[in-house]
Each structure stands twice: as C-alpha cells, then as structure tokens.
C-alpha cells in the first residue's frame, strides 16, 4: 500500500510540475522561507499560485483549510478557483477570495467583539454617498463636494486610519464627517468596504487570542498582485504573518500603477527588509509576446530606479518590431489606427476582438470612436462608457437639445435639476400633470406654472432662473456649437460642481467636457451637431464579441491582445502633465510598460505634432518614453 501510495504521489507531482519551467518549479516547491515571486508580464503567475496550492495539499504539507489565498478582484478569484478545482480535490476547503471577502468571512464570526451583530450589513458606494450627503447637510456643508469627502474617508481607511487616528487633522471638515459617519454606521449595524479590513485589524490588535487562532490556522498564506496592496492590507498581512513563515507574495513591481487608488509600491520593494531570510524567485520567461516587444518593454522600464530588477524574455521567436508612427494631428492618428485595423482584418485575418486601442486618458477615446463609426469598425469602450454615453456629455448635450428644441421634454427632465437647483421630483411630477392637462411640453408647463404662481416660492424662483438661463443660451444658438457648450458648462454651474469634488473621477469628467468643446468646433452650427449626435446615439449596440477594444492603459492591466495600438505618446499627454514629478514619472513609465506588454503579435505607437487638447492646440514634443525604447526593437514607419 505504501509503495502504491508513493507511486501515486509521484504521478500526481509529475502531473503538477512537469509543465513548469525551472523558475516556476522553484517557486512552487519553495515552502520553508518567506517567498516573493517577482512575476513579469505574461510569465504565468496564476499558474504558479494555483499549482503551489495544489502541491501543498497533495503532498500533505497542509490541509486545505490551513491555506489562505487572497487576491484583488472577484474575476481573479474566480479564475484561481476554476484552475484549482482542475488540479486538486481539496480546492473547496481553501480560504480563497478577495481581501474584502476573506475579511467579511472573519467578521461574520467575530463582529460581536466590536459590539455589532454577525448579520451586519455591508453598504455599497451609493449608500455610502447617501449617508455622507445626509451628514454634510446636517453640518451645513452642502456646498462641499460629497464625492470628495467620500474619497477622502476611503483614502484614510486605505491607509489604515480610523477617525480617531492622531495622523488625521481633526480640524479638517472631512475628519468631522468621518467621525459622525462612522458612528452612524455602527448605529446602523453596518460597514463599508474599507471597514472590512479596518475592523479585522481592530480585532487582531485588541483580541490577541483571535489573532493567535488565525495565525495557527493559516499555515500558508499566498497573496496575489502584491504590488497593488495598500497600507491597510499590508498591516493586516503583517499581523497574520509577522515573520513571513509560510508566506508567498506574487507580484510585479514594474506593473504597480494604482498609487492614486492607495496602492503602495514600497510594500513589494521592501519585502526582503520586512522578512528575514526572504527568498526572491524571478519569473522572466514570457509566454505572451514576441522578442522585439519584450526587448522594447525591458529597455523602457530599466530607466526606473525604484524597482527590484528583472528582464523578461521569450523562446517563442522575435515576432514583429514595435512600429512607431508620427502623424500631423489627432484626426490623422485616428485615421491611421483605423486603416491599420482594416488592413489587419483584411490581410492578416485578425479578429476585431483581438485588437485594442490604449490611451492615457478617457477623453482621448472620442476621436477613435468617431473614426470607427465612420469606417463601420465595431468597437466597445472597456472600463467606461462610449464618449457620448457618459453622464457629463449627455447632460451638456441635453441642454443643447433643449435650446435646439424647447419641446424636448426628456432633455428638460434631465437638466432641470442638474446641477441641483432645488427642483425635485415632486415639482417635476406637477409639471407632468400640468403638461398632460394643457397639452404642452414640460418646459412650457414649468414656465406657465411659475407665471401663474402655481409653485411654492423657492421652486418658482428656481424655475424662473432656469428659464432665464435657457433664454440666454438660446440667444447664442447661432454661434458655433463649441461656444454654446462652453457657455452652458460655465453658466449652469456644471463646471463648478465638478471642480468642487476634487477627485480623480471629477478631473476625468472635466477633461471629457473639454474634449466635447474641442469636438464641437468641427461642426458649423447647432442643427448639424444635433443631427450628428442623434446618429451616434442611435448607432446599433453590437452584441457580437468581435469588437475592437478602446480603453485606458489602467483598464488594460491583466488583459492581452494580438494587436495593440498605443496612442498619444507626447509629453503632457503621456506622460501626463500632472505626473511629471519624479515619483509619478516612474509610475507613468510602468504604465507604458503595461501597455506594451499587452501585445502578443504587434504593437503600434503613435504620436502627433499637433494635438487639440481641451480646445487648445498644443505642439508637444514626442514622449520621452520613445527615446527609451531600444533602437533594435523598433521600426519607424514613414
């Protein structure tokens, strides 16, 4: 029986390990020291993680329940589970999930230690915003940006700061809201996502017996995407594994691109200092891209100082060189990309779904969308909405629709209280009643009701103010559509509303509005634009998966495509103007590295001599990143 069991184990190990390269094999079987697996792009980190878990279970190093594996997204957790079930029968017992789901599981057992029930509610982002808005109103902070307060509180929680933390300036308005917000949550027996980590940390620090229980239970801890951990996650991990015994962290310091979301690249850079006798295994063999693409990416990222160092390579051939194209302006750039896509579809038989356009900022997608619509190229915007589907664009276009056609009641309903001007749902319902009874548009109904004193004073004043605003825009309706849009954006208070938020999302929305005014300069008059936008909005929603992907570089992380188009490589665009300081510049370079390594067969980089950004023509020099690409790996297209 023992011989048969041994033979069976040998067979299992052979099945598990024979497809691994030497570095992957070393990472899987290394169990006796804190281990950092530096996994370059496309080097098989998920394979290593799942194989390592199966290896530990099948060889009896741990029971499934003694293994904790955490990752960042539900998608990554699902992929790991699916692979793990194909490798071992013990997969179901492993504690595998996102940081938040694992913490929620722990809190369901121990929430009573915090004076909360085990059936506590986890609130979502919408509920979080509603609660903060209530508190802001109570404190007479209505002019302050609710989203800005929410983001500040979330950032503090990512750093591991509770509302009473000495590192928070108590005099800050956000700190006052944070304290009340947290007290309100506890009263409601609720937690937000940031609390899931913070509250487990509280329990671990205040109840040593609970911490000891989980330290004893988890013999092995595996962490995916370690470069993306924030400080709260880092503290949580150090509490569970202070010496790093049985700890395996997998990540790539060259792909740390989420500092704006709280990620601390320093967590991975100091791994050897945090854990005595730590071991580093570098996964450098790439199974995705050709040699020229990898060479260009490696030469680029080598210019970063804050990295542990590795150079990815492949045995699958050199492939095609990275192609670089200079163009006159953004219109020509979009046309160039569309032409290349059509050529690849026609002559290389590449699917649309195997191609992607990657840009630095969301506003850049507009020119590509317009060109693809003109060419009949099916596309999707990944990680965001199509340009004319975005909330801020639809809002301003709705104002323009109302000026163009005052009887457009749908446009009226969208903008009557955007930005907020004290005309709520109850007032709008009265407009509806009057509109039906008198067979007039909602806008006319609102004006008539204000004139006839059928509204309470505050609503009447707001309607009259809104009417004057629309009339003042109407006086300008013969101007260029761009000038009309600028007037609306400023005079309605829409720009002020976004500026007060002081968030990354708000900055992106402001950039989109500026791009809208730029796009509108191409239209001679308002009717021409209204016809264009109606055609764009009415374009068929292609249900096929064979769609070109348009996305930001941040959204592209973790994905791969046969053909990748990297657009807008100019100073000020990429690297972005706001990221030219040294620390941020290194993250921008990591972003460029991520973009290049998404390509399997072909990578195209384009830059222009003249670009209209936020309605101003710029003549920015080519991106410094272009000079950092090794000459032998690139081809300049004439």
């Amino acid at each position: 029986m023992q011989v048969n069991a041994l033979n069976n184990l040998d067979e299992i190990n052979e099945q598990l390990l024979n497809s691994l390269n030497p570095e992957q094999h070393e990472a899987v079987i290394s169990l006796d020291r804190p281990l950092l697996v530096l996994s370059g792009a496309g080097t098989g980190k998920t394979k290593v993680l799942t194989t390592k878990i199966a290896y530990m279970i099948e060889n009896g190093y741990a029971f499934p329940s003694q293994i904790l594996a955490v990752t960042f997204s539900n998608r990554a957790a699902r992929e790991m589970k699916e692979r793990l079930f194909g490798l071992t029968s013990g997969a179901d017992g492993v504690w595998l999930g996102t940081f938040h789901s694992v913490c929620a599981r722990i809190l369901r057992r121990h929430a009573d230690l915090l004076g909360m029930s085990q059936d506590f509610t986890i609130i979502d982002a919408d509920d979080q915003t509603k609660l903060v808005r209530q508190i802001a109103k109570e404190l007479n902070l209505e002019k302050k940006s609710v989203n800005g307060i929410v983001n500040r509180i979330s950032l503090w929680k990512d750093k591991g700061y509770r509302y009473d933390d000495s590192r928070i300036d108590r005099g800050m308005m956000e700190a006052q809201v944070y304290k009340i917000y947290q007290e309100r949550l506890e009263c409601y027996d609720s937690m937000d996502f940031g609390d899931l980590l913070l509250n487990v940390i509280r329990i671990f620090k205040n109840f040593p017996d609970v911490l000891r229980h989980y330290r004893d239970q988890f013999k092995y801890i595996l962490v995916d995407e370690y470069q993306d951990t924030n400080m709260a996650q880092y503290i949580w991990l150090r509490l569970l594994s202070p010496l790093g015994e049985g700890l395996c962290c997998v990540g790539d310091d060259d792909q740390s691109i989420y500092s704006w979301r709280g990620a601390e690249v320093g967590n991975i850079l100091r791994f050897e200092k945090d854990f005595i006798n730590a071991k580093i295994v570098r996964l450098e063999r790439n199974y995705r891209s050709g040699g020229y693409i990898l060479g260009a990416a490696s030469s680029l990222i080598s210019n970063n100082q804050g990295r542990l160092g590795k150079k990815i390579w492949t045995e699958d051939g050199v492939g095609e060189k990275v192609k670089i194209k200079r163009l006159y302006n953004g219109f020509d750039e979009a046309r160039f990309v569309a032409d290349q896509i059509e050529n690849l579809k026609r002559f290389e038989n590449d699917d649309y779904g195997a191609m992607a356009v990657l840009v630095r900022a969301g506003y850049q997608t507009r020119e590509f969308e317009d060109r693809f619509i003109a060419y009949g190229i099916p596309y999707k915007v990944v990680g965001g909405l199509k340009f004319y589907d975005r909330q801020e664009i639809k809002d301003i276009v709705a104002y323009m629709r109302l000026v163009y056609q005052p009887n457009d009641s749908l446009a009226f309903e969208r903008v009557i209280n955007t930005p907020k001007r004290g005309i709520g749902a109850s007032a709008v319902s009265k407009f509806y009643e009057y509109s039906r009874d008198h067979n007039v548009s909602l806008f006319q109904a609102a004006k008539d009701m204000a004139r006839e004193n059928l509204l309470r004073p505050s609503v009447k004043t707001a309607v009259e103010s809104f009417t004057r605003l629309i009339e003042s825009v109407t006086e300008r309706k013969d101007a260029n559509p761009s000038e009309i849009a600028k007037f609306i954006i400023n005079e309605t208070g829409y720009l002020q509303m976004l500026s007060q938020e002081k968030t990354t999302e708000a900055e992106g929305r402001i950039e989109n509005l500026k791009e809208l005014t730029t796009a509108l300069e191409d239209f001679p008059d308002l009717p021409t634009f209204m016809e264009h936008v109606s055609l764009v909005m009415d374009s068929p929603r292609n249900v096929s998966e064979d769609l070109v992907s348009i996305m930001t570089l941040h959204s592209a992380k973790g994905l791969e495509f046969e053909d990748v188009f990297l657009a807008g490589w100019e100073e000020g665009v990429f690297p972005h103007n706001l990221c030219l300081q040294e620390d941020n510049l290194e993250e921008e370079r990591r972003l460029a590295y991520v973009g290049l390594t998404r390509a399997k067969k072909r990578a195209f980089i384009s830059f222009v001599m003249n670009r209209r950004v936020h309605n101003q023509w710029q003549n920015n020099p080519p991106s410094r990143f272009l000079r950092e690409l090794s000459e032998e790996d690139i081809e300049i297209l004439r």
Side-chain angles (χ1 to χ4, degrees):
M1 290 293 293
Q2 291 180 343
V3 173
N4 289 338
L6 181 61
N7 289 340
N8 187 47
L9 183 58
D10 287 341
E11 290 175 5
I12 291 173
N13 281 334
E14 183 177 356
Q15 291 175 359
L16 286 174
L17 305 175
N18 65 0
S19 64
L20 304 177
N21 66 37
E23 293 75 25
Q24 290 173 333
H25 184 278
E26 183 181 4
V28 167
I29 66 172
S30 295
L31 303 174
D32 57 342
R33 295 162 57 183
L35 176 66
L36 174 63
V37 181
L38 272 184
S39 178
T43 56
K45 70 176 179 65
T46 304
K47 181 177 184 178
V48 166
L49 278 168
T50 52
T51 304
K52 189 177 184 74
I53 294 171
Y55 176 79
M56 291 188 292
I57 294 172
E58 295 298 333
N59 285 272
Y61 289 105
F63 294 113
S65 60
Q66 294 177 307
I67 299 172
L68 169 64
V70 288
T71 187
F72 276 82
S73 68
N74 290 316
R75 180 181 62 83
R78 284 194 300 271
E79 181 183 355
M80 286 182 63
K81 285 180 181 178
E82 289 170 3
R83 292 201 192 188
L84 195 56
F85 274 105
L87 295 174
T88 176
S89 59
D92 199 39
V94 176
W95 279 55
L96 193 160
T98 64
F99 278 94
H100 293 109
S101 67
V102 169
C103 285
R105 184 173 175 181
I106 292 172
L107 286 168
R108 293 296 180 196
R109 296 181 175 184
H110 306 287
D112 60 305
L113 298 176
L114 302 175
M116 302 179 72
S117 77
Q118 295 180 347
D119 297 322
F120 64 87
T121 300
I122 302 173
I123 67 170
D124 61 16
D126 287 343
D127 288 334
Q128 187 179 14
T129 301
K130 288 177 185 176
L131 181 54
V132 170
R133 182 177 291 113
Q134 290 173 8
I135 297 168
K137 187 173 183 180
E138 293 168 10
L139 296 177
N140 296 317
L141 300 174
E142 294 176 82
K143 293 184 179 180
K144 298 294 184 181
S145 164
V146 170
N147 287 339
I149 299 172
V150 170
N151 283 336
R152 172 65 68 176
I153 292 173
S154 295
L155 182 62
W156 279 330
K157 291 188 177 186
D158 287 343
K159 290 180 178 293
Y161 301 170
R162 277 182 50 79
Y163 66 84
D164 53 357
D165 195 292
S166 61
R167 289 166 290 188
I168 295 179
D169 181 357
R170 304 292 176 82
M172 293 179 66
M173 168 269 299
E174 293 92 342
Q176 300 173 43
V177 177
Y178 187 7
K179 181 176 185 299
I180 299 171
Y181 169 79
Q182 211 58 42
E183 291 171 347
R184 205 73 58 86
L185 279 183
E186 292 175 9
C187 178
Y188 297 161
D189 198 25
S190 299
M191 301 184 198
D192 63 23
F193 276 89
D195 288 327
L196 297 178
L197 272 155
L198 276 188
N199 283 335
V200 172
I201 290 172
R202 282 177 65 197
I203 289 173
F204 283 173
K205 286 184 174 180
N206 296 331
F207 300 92
D209 55 327
V210 176
L211 176 58
R212 192 178 308 112
H213 166 78
Y214 286 104
R215 282 182 179 175
D216 291 342
Q217 175 172 345
F218 298 132
K219 189 174 180 181
Y220 293 100
I221 300 175
L222 300 93
V223 183
D224 188 20
E225 303 285 11
Y226 188 57
Q227 79 280 351
D228 291 334
T229 50
N230 59 38
M231 193 50 62
Q233 291 160 340
Y234 173 80
I235 293 169
W236 179 83
L237 182 64
R238 291 302 306 272
L239 285 168
L240 276 176
S241 184
L243 301 178
E245 296 173 340
L247 178 64
C248 172
C249 294
V250 180
D252 184 1
D253 51 330
D254 291 334
Q255 296 189 70
S256 179
I257 59 174
Y258 296 126
S259 64
W260 50 277
R261 227 163 51 183
E264 297 275 356
V265 68
N267 292 348
I268 193 170
L269 295 178
R270 64 168 177 264
F271 189 88
E272 288 181 290
K273 294 181 181 179
D274 283 342
F275 302 105
I276 299 173
N277 200 32
K279 178 178 182 178
I280 295 182
V281 174
R282 288 173 168 80
L283 304 184
E284 298 174 308
R285 181 180 174 184
N286 180 281
Y287 293 91
R288 176 188 300 154
S289 308
Y292 284 129
I293 293 172
L294 298 179
S298 292
S299 66
L300 172 73
I301 200 63
S302 66
N303 290 276
N304 271 7
Q305 300 300 311
R307 63 190 297 259
L308 296 171
K310 63 184 174 304
K311 185 172 181 178
I312 50 178
W313 56 275
T314 183
E315 289 185 350
D316 298 330
V318 294
E320 296 188 22
K321 289 188 176 185
V322 176
K323 296 175 176 61
I324 298 177
K325 179 69 174 178
R326 182 183 70 170
L327 296 135
Y328 182 72
N329 58 26
F331 178 86
D332 290 341
E333 181 180 47
R335 184 169 56 186
F336 165 75
V337 170
D339 287 340
Q340 294 299 317
I341 287 173
E342 289 292 75
N343 289 337
L344 291 170
K345 178 71 172 177
R346 183 179 299 114
F347 300 115
E348 301 294 338
N349 202 31
D350 285 357
D351 293 334
Y352 288 129
M355 307 180 205
V357 180
L358 308 184
V359 297
R360 174 59 181 86
Y363 73 85
Q364 292 174 260
T365 71
R366 198 268 311 168
E367 286 182 311
F368 294 101
E369 292 188 58
D370 284 351
R371 183 53 40 191
F372 289 179
I373 290 171
Y375 273 50
I377 295 174
Y379 74 93
K380 61 182 176 181
V381 178
V382 178
L385 296 170
K386 293 184 176 182
F387 185 78
Y388 287 103
D389 284 344
R390 293 168 183 170
Q391 177 183 335
E392 60 275 12
I393 305 301
K394 294 179 79 170
D395 287 345
I396 301 307
V397 169
Y399 273 104
M400 299 176 79
R401 283 168 49 195
L402 190 60
V403 170
Y404 178 66
Q405 175 49 268
N407 291 331
D408 189 338
S409 291
L410 291 176
F412 171 83
E413 187 176 4
R414 184 176 185 93
V415 301
I416 183 59
N417 204 37
T418 305
K420 293 186 182 304
R421 47 178 63 93
I423 304 175
S426 60
V428 173
S429 67
K430 292 177 182 178
F431 301 157
Y432 264 113
E433 291 179 16
Y434 190 98
S435 170
R436 287 194 299 267
D437 293 344
H438 295 80
N439 195 29
V440 295
S441 69
L442 284 183
F443 189 20
Q444 189 62 50
K447 290 193 290 185
D448 291 349
M449 292 180 73
R451 187 181 64 251
E452 297 169 17
N453 291 319
L454 298 177
L455 302 170
R456 70 171 193 259
S458 62
V459 175
K460 176 185 176 181
T461 301
V463 168
E464 290 173 340
S465 175
F466 178 78
T467 299
R468 287 193 299 270
L469 172 66
I470 297 301
E471 288 172 348
S472 65
V473 181
T474 303
E475 292 172 0
R476 295 166 171 79
K477 71 177 183 179
D478 292 330
N480 181 271
S482 180
E483 296 304 315
I484 298 173
K486 288 178 191 174
F487 185 84
I488 291 170
I489 290 167
N490 287 287
E491 295 303 316
T492 59
Y494 204 99
L495 181 60
Q496 182 183 10
M497 174 187 74
L498 293 179
S499 299
Q500 287 177 344
E501 289 190 15
K502 297 180 180 178
T503 64
T504 303
E505 292 80 5
E507 289 173 5
R509 295 177 68 191
I510 291 172
E511 286 185 340
N512 290 335
L513 290 179
K514 292 177 178 178
E515 178 61 20
L516 174 65
T517 63
T518 300
L520 289 175
E521 286 194 350
D522 296 333
F523 298 92
D525 50 43
L526 186 57
T528 304
F529 170 68
M530 297 316 302
E531 181 178 355
H532 169 79
V533 78
S534 65
L535 292 173
V536 169
M537 298 299 290
D538 194 44
S539 60
R541 300 296 195 251
N542 199 321
V543 296
S544 167
E545 287 300 311
D546 192 22
L547 311 172
V548 176
S549 296
I550 305 176
M551 69 184 82
T552 64
L553 287 157
H554 284 100
S555 298
K557 186 170 178 289
L559 304 177
E560 59 182 39
F561 302 90
E562 298 291 315
D563 312 303
V564 168
F565 296 87
L566 300 155
W569 280 42
E570 303 117 39
E571 290 291 302
V573 178
F574 190 44
H576 196 283
N577 261 332
L578 299 177
C579 302
L580 294 179
Q581 301 88 348
E582 189 56 39
D583 289 346
N584 290 334
L585 184 60
E586 294 222 340
E587 180 155 327
E588 288 287 282
R589 189 176 284 111
R590 292 194 291 268
L591 200 53
Y593 173 85
V594 166
L596 270 171
T597 54
R598 298 312 92 196
K600 297 168 71 174
K601 284 185 180 179
R602 304 173 189 89
F604 297 81
I605 300 175
S606 57
F607 66 98
V608 302
M609 294 182 287
N610 307 282
R611 186 180 297 279
R612 195 164 54 182
V613 179
H614 307 332
N615 213 31
Q616 291 185 341
W617 282 102
Q618 297 182 0
N619 306 102
N620 294 331
S623 170
R624 69 191 69 194
F625 298 152
L626 291 169
R627 300 192 299 272
E628 297 171 358
L629 302 174
S630 46
E631 291 186 7
E632 61 270 21
D633 296 311
I634 64 175
E635 175 187 351
I636 308 297
L637 299 180
R638 304 301 177 187

